[in-house]
């Protein structure tokens, strides 16, 4: 059982090192930002995050209600 736990911890440590190799080797390296709003390729296609889209739609609806009244 102890062997299994140590093997698992070692395997996880190696996996983290392999995932972070770009960050460790490259000067000023960092993980890429996974947020949709920070992705230039998606922004070029007009795709935004759900929170930004919801906020924009809520403002638009309030403005429409103000224009009708």
């Amino acid at each position: 059982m102890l062997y299994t736990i140590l093997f698992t911890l070692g395997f996880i440590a190696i996996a983290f090192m392999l995932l972070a190799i770009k960050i460790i080797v490259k000067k000023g390296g960092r993980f890429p930002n996974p947020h949709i709003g920070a992705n230039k390729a998606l922004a070029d296609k007009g795709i935004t995050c759900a929170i930004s889209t919801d906020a924009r739609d809520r403002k638009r609806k309030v403005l429409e209600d103000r224009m009708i009244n």
Side-chain angles (χ1 to χ4, degrees):
M1 173 128 164
L2 182 62
Y3 175 75
T4 305
I5 293 172
L6 290 175
F7 177 76
T8 303
L9 290 175
F11 185 76
I12 291 172
I14 291 170
F16 272 110
M17 291 298 291
L18 290 174
L19 287 171
I21 198 158
K22 181 180 177 183
I23 296 168
I24 294 168
V25 174
K26 186 177 176 184
K27 183 177 182 179
R30 57 185 171 172
F31 282 111
N33 187 351
H35 194 285
I36 292 172
N39 190 326
K40 186 178 180 328
L42 291 177
D44 291 342
K45 293 180 181 180
I47 299 171
T48 61
C49 71
I51 295 171
S52 299
T53 303
D54 185 50
R56 185 186 67 224
D57 291 344
R58 286 177 186 264
K59 286 181 182 178
R60 186 176 297 155
K61 183 176 180 183
V62 171
L63 181 60
E64 289 174 3
D65 289 343
R66 289 181 187 169
M67 292 175 69
I68 291 172
N69 293 333

